[in-house]
Amino acid sequence: MSFPTGKPHVSYSEVKAWKDCSWRHKLVYIDKIDKFKPSPNIDFGTHVHAECEEYLQKRTFNLDRLESSIRSGWEKKGFENPDTWIKEAKQIIDEIPEFLEKTFPSWEFIAAEHALYEPVEGSDIKFKGFIDAMIKSKNSHEQDRLWIIDWKTTGSRGWAADKKQDFLVQAQIALYKYYTSQKFEIDPKEIKCGFVLLKRGVKKGKACELVEVSVGPKMLENANKLVTSMISNVTAGKAIKNRMSCTYCEFKNTDHCPGSIEYPAFTNSR
């Protein structure tokens, strides 16, 4: 395998990591330096995603199972306050049925965790991804539309407006739309997509929010350029530090990335 990562595929998370900082991408995906630390936020998302998948497939959920899985996971990893996380998870899942019916009237299940493994144009590399949810719903003209949904667990404030409009965030769902249309030979115009924010610590009835993403031809083009550019640069061995992204990097000022810089907040001065 000639691709420097040793894998015949790339994923959105890997492409995003490269775009954020190609040097960090090299450390993680090529040098295989693992600095991953368990996080209750990540584990919480995993448990909630699993229950969302269960509901999509069977139109039922099991809050007792959800509580048990979170409690045992928190105990095993030494996370604190399991009761708070359990309460928040239960609220989210409890609101999923009404949210889906209200947002996607008469929705029908198509797939959950649907696997994509599609060729990247102009490359021997494949794009690998998993679509959290694919459902069918009718629009205002009673026409069927395929919806591609990605669940995102968040804090009580959800996403700020700038994050909702961030190209790099939207690129994930755009790529899922592109490769789904290619795989099933569906006109992209027939596919709608968005993120569903699953919020912790909010008032009743406020746990779920649809962030619809308008993905037109230009967005699809730019998202694909992002992938092909990543593949081209990684293949060429180009890895440059993005010193604007040092602040929260796990490699900051380590032997793997000496001389990291944390930029101070910009201030107006005369």
Side-chain angles (χ1 to χ4, degrees):
M1 179 64 209
S2 59
F3 197 54
T5 64
K7 299 181 299 182
H9 58 260
V10 297
S11 65
Y12 163 76
S13 59
E14 182 179 351
V15 172
K16 181 179 183 299
W18 171 82
K19 183 63 175 177
D20 285 336
C21 178
S22 58
W23 182 259
R24 180 183 178 277
H25 171 271
K26 171 186 176 296
L27 295 176
V28 174
Y29 291 92
I30 298 176
D31 298 342
K32 312 296 184 184
I33 300 172
D34 184 7
K35 280 189 169 288
F36 175 78
K37 293 181 180 180
S39 162
N41 289 295
I42 294 175
D43 278 37
F44 179 83
T46 299
H47 292 297
V48 170
H49 273 63
E51 209 59 46
C52 287
E53 180 181 346
E54 178 81 3
Y55 182 75
L56 285 173
Q57 294 175 322
K58 301 179 181 179
R59 303 262 180 159
T60 186
F61 50 79
N62 188 325
L63 296 182
D64 290 337
R65 177 182 58 206
L66 179 62
E67 175 176 352
S68 177
S69 63
I70 291 177
R71 195 173 297 282
S72 61
W74 261 235
E75 181 179 354
K76 181 180 179 180
K77 296 184 179 179
F79 298 151
E80 298 179 346
N81 304 319
D83 290 339
T84 299
W85 293 93
I86 289 168
K87 178 182 177 182
E88 293 171 343
K90 285 184 174 182
Q91 179 186 350
I92 290 170
I93 297 303
D94 196 48
E95 293 184 17
I96 287 289
E98 183 177 351
F99 167 78
L100 288 175
E101 290 298 337
K102 182 179 179 180
T103 311
F104 310 102
S106 303
W107 66 274
E108 297 178 28
F109 171 73
I110 301 297
E113 283 297 300
H114 180 75
L116 294 172
Y117 201 74
E118 310 306 314
V120 177
E121 187 176 355
S123 170
D124 293 331
I125 302 298
K126 299 289 183 64
F127 177 84
K128 180 180 180 179
F130 293 90
I131 299 174
D132 287 342
M134 296 173 67
I135 61 175
K136 185 171 66 174
S137 179
K138 294 186 181 299
N139 63 13
S140 58
H141 301 290
E142 292 299 309
Q143 297 170 317
D144 287 333
R145 287 291 183 270
L146 175 65
W147 272 90
I148 291 175
I149 296 170
D150 193 82
W151 311 109
K152 297 292 186 186
T153 50
T154 76
S156 60
R157 295 185 179 183
W159 285 355
D162 59 343
K163 183 169 184 176
K164 292 178 181 179
Q165 298 299 319
D166 189 325
F167 165 72
L168 198 54
V169 172
Q170 295 182 342
Q172 177 183 9
I173 210 78
L175 290 168
Y176 288 173
K177 176 175 178 173
Y178 174 77
Y179 286 108
T180 296
S181 69
Q182 294 292 303
K183 180 176 182 177
F184 296 105
E185 298 183 348
I186 303 173
D187 186 338
K189 294 179 181 179
E190 302 298 315
I191 302 175
K192 298 181 74 66
C193 51
F195 300 99
V196 172
L197 308 186
L198 307 174
K199 305 176 187 178
R200 297 185 288 106
V202 296
K203 294 181 180 179
K204 187 176 180 180
K206 300 293 185 180
C208 305
E209 177 191 353
L210 172 65
V211 178
E212 186 173 350
V213 180
S214 178
V215 180
K218 189 63 177 179
M219 179 67 176
L220 290 173
E221 179 184 350
N222 290 338
N224 277 292
K225 283 183 178 179
L226 177 65
V227 176
T228 55
S229 178
M230 178 267 187
I231 292 173
S232 175
N233 280 273
V234 172
T235 300
K238 297 179 180 179
I240 302 171
K241 295 180 186 180
N242 177 9
R243 297 186 184 276
M244 294 294 287
S245 68
C246 293
T247 303
Y248 301 108
C249 181
E250 65 271 34
F251 297 106
K252 178 185 174 184
N253 291 329
T254 66
D255 291 341
H256 304 296
C257 192
S260 303
I261 294 177
E262 179 176 348
Y263 280 83
F266 289 103
T267 56
N268 292 322
S269 59
R270 295 182 184 274

